[in-house]
């Protein structure tokens, strides 16, 4: 493996924090220290914002195709170093290596490639206004963009944010989660080697309450793009008000995954297990509420619980592992605390609800795949648990299924399993969510908008929507040969 980068990346250089502070980065498999990473505070964030501001005029004036070329090179480099990068991500986050290699790394490369290609294809427009005038609309980059990401998919999420921001001509100050900064620093290293100009991307690893808060408040930042919890999302909105910076929020979710009575049960069982247990359920779009028609509930649950029990939980670096540890001990304890919450309200644990009974995993942050029977109004059916923890509830007809699906404050991902095309489209239209998957779950593609409604946030990542969100419209009026009668007759 290549040496692990553990400094801040500011103005094209890897540097220590101004006050020399650092953060231990742990491996959630056994809680051993992987490395100590420099810890950014306000002074370091200031330096990063200044570097990004200095880099902005040249970067934004560069031919869009040249910016795109650098992003395309980055995508190639990520693929060339895929094995190494996957290993680093697996160690830092607990993602099973086969997922890190086949999903995180490949989707990350695909994202940079998509936006690399997009850079010179995202165009303005000409508006048919009054005769004699030409009105054209340019999409202008915003300037310095602050980006804050959580720890659940660090490699992928930094690409979803940096890809469109850079393609559109912005410069970036990125704050990764303090517990999973390593793949982001590796990407910065690749960028430096490929020839991204200094200051175009700056990485400030630090805690949310210090570095994150300062970035969100910073008057030199034109936009803050945040992925994380709904509670912190609200704080970001507050922090951004000083200079009225633009805000984009990708927040929590409580995905309803509905299995109708006419579903292909085998496909629904498999897809629903993927929906919740991939990445140990630490996904905002996780299908964490199973809503199953009462007529097929017994058969479905029999097979679903059987599958959950058979999932191979273990060391993320073992290629046979299907589910790794949660990303931190703090988070594991939070997830396990929901077992008591479920029981207190009359819920029953159908499987899981504890750490695996395996001495080899005792030092790590492991939780067994957990299936809980609960009422739709119970806390476990309403609050985001963010772990391998799925609630199951039944319904009698489509109206009831829809009512349950739309009964949380969130509106991010959702799934439908049915062979009835007309029902599928009707339900997809009526579900309050940013994304609906029919007979599948958790599909993402750099071309397709990703984001939520309600308490799941606003704004969209990916596709043309992301390019819109990272640019401002500038309307230019030209009097070509219009004759304007004078307003003031003198
Ligand atoms: P979190 O909100 O605690 O932290 C997210 C990031 O914000 C981290 O980098 C953290 O350091 C930073 N932060 C914390 N406090 C801050 C503050 N006051 N000011 C600025 N930054 C601050 O979330 P988490 O526990 O790391 O991540 C899990 C959450 O993220 C879940 O709620 C999940 O649903 C959500 N999430 C949403 C999406 C989406 O696209 N909608 C994707 C993944 C995760």
């Amino acid at each position: 493996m290549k040496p692990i980068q553990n400094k801040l990346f500011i103005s094209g250089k890897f540097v220590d924090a101004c006050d020399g502070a650092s953060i231990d980065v742990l491996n959630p498999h056994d809680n051993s220290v992987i490395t100590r990473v420099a810890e950014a505070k306000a002074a370091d964030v200031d330096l990063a914002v200044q570097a990004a501001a200095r880099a902005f005029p040249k970067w934004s004036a560069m031919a869009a195709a040249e910016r795109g070329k650098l992003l395309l090179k980055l995508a190639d480099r990520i693929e060339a170093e895929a094995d190494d990068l996957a290993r680093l991500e697996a160690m830092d986050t607990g993602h099973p290596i086969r997922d890190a290699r086949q999903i995180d790394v490949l989707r990350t490369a695909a994202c940079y490639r998509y936006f690399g290609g997009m850079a010179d294809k995202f165009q303005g427009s000409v508006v048919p206004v009054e005769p004699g005038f030409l009105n054209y609309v340019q999409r202008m980059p915003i300037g310095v963009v602050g980006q804050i990401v959580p720890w659940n998919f660090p490699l992928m999420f930094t690409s979803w944010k940096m890809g469109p921001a850079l393609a559109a001509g912005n410069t970036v100050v990125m704050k990764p989660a303090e517990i999973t900064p390593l793949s982001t620093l590796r990407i910065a290293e690749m960028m430096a080697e490929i020839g991204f100009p200094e200051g175009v991307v700056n990485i400030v690893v630090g805690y949310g309450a210090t570095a994150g808060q300062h970035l969100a408040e910073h008057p030199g930042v034109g936009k803050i793009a945040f992925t994380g919890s709904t509670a912190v999302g609200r704080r970001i909105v507050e922090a951004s008000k000083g200079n009225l910076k633009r805000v984009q929020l990708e927040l929590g979710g409580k995905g309803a995954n509905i299995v109708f009575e006419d579903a292909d049960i085998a496909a629904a069982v498999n897809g629903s297990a993927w929906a919740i247990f991939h990445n140990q359920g630490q996904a905002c779009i996780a299908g964490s509420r199973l809503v199953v028609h009462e007529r097929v509930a017994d058969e479905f649950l029999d097979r679903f619980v059987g599958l959950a029990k058979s999932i191979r939980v273990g060391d993320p670096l073992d290629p046979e592992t299907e589910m790794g540890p949660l990303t931190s001990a703090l988070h594991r304890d939070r997830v396990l605390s929901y077992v008591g919450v479920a029981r207190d309200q009359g819920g029953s644990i159908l499987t899981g609800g504890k750490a695996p009974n395996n001495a080899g995993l005792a030092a790590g942050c492991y939780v067994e795949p957990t299936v809980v029977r609960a009422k739709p109004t119970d806390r476990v059916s309403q609050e985001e648990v963010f772990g391998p923890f799925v609630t199951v509830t039944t319904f009698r007809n489509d109206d009831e299924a829809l009512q349950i699906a739309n009964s949380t404050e969130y509106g991010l991902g959702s799934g439908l399993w049915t062979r009835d095309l007309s029902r599928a489209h009707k339900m997809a239209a009526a579900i309050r969510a940013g994304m609906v998957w029919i007979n599948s779950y958790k599909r993402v593609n750099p071309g397709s908008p990703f984001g939520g409604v309600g308490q799941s946030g606003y704004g969209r990542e990916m596709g043309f929507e992301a390019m819109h969100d990272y640019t401002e419209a500038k309307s230019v009026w030209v009097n070509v040969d219009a004759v304007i009668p004078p307003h003031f007759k003198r």
Side-chain angles (χ1 to χ4, degrees):
M1 227 174 124
K2 277 175 78 172
I4 291 173
Q5 183 52 252
N6 58 5
K7 296 193 175 192
L8 310 178
F9 184 65
I10 298 177
S11 200
K13 290 172 197 64
F14 285 97
V15 295
D16 287 319
C18 291
D19 68 357
S22 63
I23 300 173
D24 284 349
V25 178
L26 307 182
N27 179 342
H29 167 59
D30 56 7
N31 282 305
S32 59
V33 177
I34 304 172
T35 185
R36 311 194 76 184
V37 169
E39 180 200 344
K41 295 194 186 127
D44 308 282
V45 172
D46 286 343
L47 290 177
V49 173
Q50 285 157 17
R54 280 196 305 274
F56 177 69
K58 247 183 154 171
W59 179 249
S60 54
M62 186 190 264
E66 292 301 312
R67 289 198 301 265
K69 219 192 265 177
L70 287 167
L71 289 165
L72 294 171
K73 275 192 193 171
L74 178 62
D76 289 346
R77 174 65 78 90
I78 288 168
E79 281 173 350
E81 295 186 19
D83 290 336
D84 206 54
L85 203 48
R87 209 177 148 76
L88 187 66
E89 189 77 337
M91 275 169 61
D92 199 9
T93 63
H95 293 197
I97 185 80
R98 65 181 211 177
D99 288 353
R101 178 68 181 80
Q102 295 306 324
I103 299 173
D104 302 66
V105 170
L106 297 188
R107 284 185 179 175
T108 298
C111 179
Y112 285 119
R113 185 163 291 129
Y114 175 85
F115 286 107
M118 173 75 90
D120 61 347
K121 290 161 199 76
F122 185 66
Q123 51 199 31
S125 58
V126 175
V127 183
V129 293
E130 298 86 325
F133 282 99
L134 168 67
N135 176 244
Y136 61 91
V137 180
Q138 286 177 296
R139 303 297 317 186
M140 310 298 283
I142 295 165
V144 177
V145 168
Q147 304 183 325
I148 300 178
V149 293
W151 42 261
N152 56 328
F153 291 100
L155 182 62
M156 237 165 60
F157 285 164
T158 49
S159 73
W160 293 10
K161 291 205 180 328
M162 294 204 288
L166 295 172
N170 302 284
T171 54
V172 167
V173 178
M174 163 65 71
K175 194 203 85 62
E178 54 277 16
I179 61 172
T180 56
L182 302 183
S183 58
T184 311
L185 292 171
R186 174 65 57 82
I187 294 291
E189 210 169 44
M190 291 180 186
M191 286 174 154
E193 287 164 12
I194 286 165
F196 278 74
E198 64 180 44
V200 165
V201 165
N202 305 274
I203 314 289
V204 286
V205 183
Y207 291 104
T210 49
Q213 182 80 20
H214 193 65
L215 186 59
E217 287 171 356
H218 208 293
V221 171
K223 165 176 173 164
I224 194 94
F226 173 77
T227 298
S229 60
T230 298
V232 174
R234 284 201 188 88
R235 257 180 250 154
I236 298 284
V237 173
E238 269 295 310
S240 68
K241 71 184 183 193
N243 68 336
L244 297 179
K245 57 174 68 65
R246 289 177 55 162
V247 179
Q248 182 179 346
L249 299 174
E250 303 288 346
L251 309 177
K254 191 73 184 173
N257 185 24
I258 309 174
V259 181
F260 292 90
E261 71 277 20
D262 64 341
D264 172 340
I265 297 293
V269 165
N270 228 289
S272 303
W274 158 255
I276 183 64
F277 298 126
H278 165 236
N279 196 29
Q280 297 75 261
Q282 301 169 124
C284 50
I285 54 176
S288 53
R289 284 186 297 150
L290 260 170
V291 186
V292 187
H293 193 282
E294 61 180 13
R295 221 182 303 147
V296 293
D298 286 346
E299 183 196 351
F300 177 88
L301 269 181
D302 228 37
R303 292 163 77 165
F304 183 75
V305 169
L307 178 53
K309 284 182 173 157
S310 74
I311 290 174
R312 291 189 296 272
V313 180
D315 182 347
L317 293 182
D318 179 343
E320 294 300 311
T321 291
E322 294 172 322
M323 232 181 77
L326 302 197
T327 301
S328 73
L330 194 73
H331 187 57
R332 174 205 52 207
D333 295 347
R334 183 178 174 273
V335 169
L336 286 176
S337 76
Y338 271 100
V339 174
V341 172
R343 287 202 176 108
D344 285 350
Q345 292 191 297
S348 51
I349 311 299
L350 305 184
T351 185
K354 55 183 171 50
N357 190 15
N358 173 343
L361 307 181
C365 309
Y366 291 90
V367 173
E368 282 184 355
T370 300
V371 183
V372 179
R373 188 95 199 207
K375 301 181 288 303
T377 50
D378 288 352
R379 276 183 60 198
V380 284
S381 304
Q382 293 287 320
E383 297 174 17
E384 187 184 44
V385 178
F386 216 59
F389 185 110
V390 63
T391 59
V392 187
T393 192
T394 55
F395 68 92
R396 280 161 301 197
N397 55 51
D398 290 13
D399 285 348
E400 194 185 4
L402 186 63
Q403 186 271 324
I404 293 171
N406 286 348
S407 70
T408 76
E409 61 181 3
Y410 296 112
L412 196 57
S414 55
L416 305 171
W417 299 88
T418 176
R419 290 187 168 104
D420 180 339
L421 209 56
S422 137
R423 163 192 268 163
H425 287 295
K426 270 198 272 183
M427 292 296 284
I431 282 186
R432 204 167 49 87
M435 290 158 285
V436 182
W437 296 281
I438 298 170
N439 294 328
S440 70
Y441 203 96
K442 258 187 168 187
R443 303 300 314 174
V444 296
N445 180 285
S448 184
F450 184 104
V453 299
Q455 305 291 302
S456 293
Y458 44 76
R460 291 292 179 271
E461 308 217 85
M462 321 276 229
F464 284 88
E465 302 266 353
M467 295 297 284
H468 267 273
D469 277 7
Y470 278 104
T471 52
E472 309 269 19
K474 179 180 275 182
S475 171
V476 180
W477 289 78
V478 187
N479 182 346
V480 179
D481 61 357
V483 179
I484 313 172
H487 265 300
F488 304 102
K489 298 203 169 77
R490 297 282 188 275

